[in-house]
Amino acid sequence: MNDRSRFAPRLARLHAELDAVGAEAVIVDHAELLAWASGYTVSQTLWRAMIVPRRADPVFVLRSIDAGPCRDGVWFDRVVAYDDHEVPEAVVAGEIAALGLAASAIGYDPTSYGLTVDTFERLRRHLPQAEFVALPGISDRLRVAKDADEIASIEQAAVIADRTMLGLEATAAVGLRVRDVAAIAAASLLRLGADDGGPGPILVSGGDIDFLHGRGLDRVLAEGDLLHVELTPRVESYGARLMRPISLGRPNAGTELVFHRLVALQDAQIAAMRPGAHAAEVDAILRRSVLDAGLRADYRNVTGYSMGLYGRTPRPSDFSFAFHPGAAFRLEPGMVFHMYTSARGVAVSETVLVEANGPRRLTNCARRFLVAE
């Protein structure tokens, strides 16, 4: 069981959200918020949820097959298991009623991908007297500034990314399949302490930005190929990300120049990531410079997005706080972002922490053009 004191400040922040809207409890079913607030999360084969009342300890409701690991992971005592043939919404409603809250105001996050329309309607039918109060975005908003223990896990993941990237520079070779390089990366991530071996996209680059999420694991590497590598290790579910190009043999001068120009422009952007900075203005530093330099004809993707906790979810990247022309948030200490840019087949990225005195790169792989010779 997790240490209660570690989660007390997080529970207090949840309670403050309930106080602000006059709710007596909140239903948490967003995978990352479950882990953040309880110490445990699991995939949604069947609906699982945590009830967080204002005046009592939380209650976790989930499949009986997952109850043991849940009891080992959470910091509170009550874990309620249901069999696979039972109706999860009815079990959750029963626990809310047992808390004396069946006719109370109950908060929920309508933007949670754990809460389908069907699940919400079923829950409402089982609690006809309850008033459901929407708390949109609470699952991401509460977690945006990281605690010290969260940052420590991200830093561990960043070290794993750095070491694996340099290892790939030393082992990638003409004649290997891209799949072979990905396997080397996966083995390295696991060996160095990552939760799993998923390395992120690794492929031969080309074009402007289309390559970032492309495919091609069975392509055989040839002299002159440019390998795009994105590493996404997680430690205790907290992730860091790092992108670099690796050239098979000496890169052509034009490609190397693009890399160094992107690095210089991104350095200027990262330097501006100070507490109080407006996200749209930080975005513009890179976006406008890349366009003004003629490196890209347009810039339609974000230049950075939130990093932190990644549960078993359908969302591989967290855009709840992202850098784009319409971004309205301001930076604050404890925020962590994956800052990335790309042009002409070249991509570079870093995991960056905003501290009280300014930004700090958590990934520290040399910002040079990597060459496998």
Side-chain angles (χ1 to χ4, degrees):
M1 180 175 287
N2 264 301
D3 180 10
R4 175 183 288 262
S5 63
R6 175 188 173 198
F7 293 89
R10 302 179 187 183
L11 189 65
R13 286 156 69 180
L14 261 173
H15 285 169
E17 293 276 348
L18 297 182
D19 291 341
V21 297
E24 292 297 322
V26 62
I27 295 171
V28 175
D29 58 4
H30 182 285
E32 285 92 14
L33 190 61
L34 280 172
W36 181 84
S38 77
Y40 178 79
T41 190
V42 68
S43 61
Q44 191 173 321
T45 303
L46 294 172
W47 192 48
R48 72 287 178 271
M50 181 172 68
I51 306 158
V52 183
R54 290 173 65 197
R55 297 177 176 85
D57 275 356
V59 180
F60 209 125
V61 180
L62 77 171
R63 297 175 68 200
S64 57
I65 197 171
D66 297 318
C70 183
R71 290 190 179 97
D72 290 340
V74 300
W75 55 269
F76 45 87
D77 294 326
R78 187 152 179 76
V79 173
V80 177
Y82 60 81
D83 293 338
D84 287 353
H85 65 273
E86 295 185 88
V87 179
E89 296 85 357
V91 181
V92 171
E95 290 301 314
I96 291 173
L99 289 164
L101 302 177
S104 300
I106 307 295
Y108 72 100
D109 185 352
T111 67
S112 168
Y113 41 76
L115 187 67
T116 67
V117 173
D118 181 66
T119 293
F120 184 56
E121 290 304 319
R122 286 171 181 260
L123 188 63
R124 290 179 64 180
R125 287 197 294 270
H126 286 289
L127 291 169
Q129 295 182 319
E131 175 192 357
F132 287 92
V133 181
L135 294 167
I138 184 176
S139 300
D140 293 318
R141 185 172 64 253
L142 283 175
R143 300 180 301 104
V144 66
K146 308 299 186 288
D147 298 336
D149 62 317
E150 296 179 284
I151 293 169
S153 292
I154 298 171
E155 286 188 287
Q156 290 181 48
V159 170
I160 292 170
D162 290 337
R163 292 178 62 184
T164 298
M165 187 68 77
L166 292 178
L168 291 180
E169 181 187 31
T171 55
V174 170
L176 292 179
R177 298 172 302 169
V178 175
R179 183 182 300 277
D180 299 323
V181 178
I184 294 168
S188 173
L189 296 175
L190 281 169
R191 185 175 62 253
L192 293 173
D195 294 348
D196 54 47
I202 297 179
L203 62 152
V204 175
S205 70
D208 201 3
I209 62 170
D210 296 344
F211 67 91
L212 289 175
H213 292 167
R215 296 183 177 183
L217 285 174
D218 291 312
R219 175 163 172 174
V220 177
L221 294 174
E223 185 76 19
D225 277 345
L226 189 63
L227 193 63
H228 164 66
V229 177
E230 179 176 358
L231 301 176
T232 61
R234 295 178 301 124
V235 172
E236 299 294 327
S237 297
Y238 284 89
R241 297 193 176 183
L242 174 69
M243 297 196 306
R244 289 288 188 277
I246 300 178
S247 178
L248 276 297
R250 295 305 308 175
N252 67 63
T255 300
E256 197 165 9
L257 177 62
V258 169
F259 172 82
H260 289 299
R261 294 181 78 180
L262 286 177
V263 165
L265 297 177
Q266 188 180 63
D267 282 345
Q269 181 188 40
I270 292 173
M273 295 175 65
R274 308 185 67 83
H278 195 286
E281 294 174 359
V282 173
D283 172 78
I285 292 171
L286 177 71
R287 185 180 301 272
R288 291 174 183 168
S289 298
V290 168
L291 293 174
D292 289 347
L295 294 173
R296 287 172 58 164
D298 55 45
Y299 212 126
R300 298 186 178 184
N301 57 298
V302 301
T303 62
Y305 54 84
S306 298
M307 285 296 300
L309 186 61
Y310 287 90
R312 297 182 183 180
T313 75
R315 180 176 71 174
S317 296
D318 180 356
F319 276 27
S320 56
F321 290 82
F323 292 85
H324 55 78
F329 67 94
R330 291 187 179 275
L331 276 61
E332 58 183 277
M335 287 182 165
V336 182
F337 298 98
H338 181 219
M339 307 303 294
Y340 75 107
T341 186
S342 61
R344 301 183 186 179
V346 175
V348 60
S349 79
E350 304 291 349
T351 299
V352 180
L353 167 68
V354 179
E355 295 184 309
N357 60 351
R360 176 164 67 92
R361 281 201 294 125
L362 301 183
T363 42
N364 286 292
C365 184
R367 285 168 73 77
R368 61 176 175 81
F369 205 107
L370 304 182
V371 180
E373 295 184 296

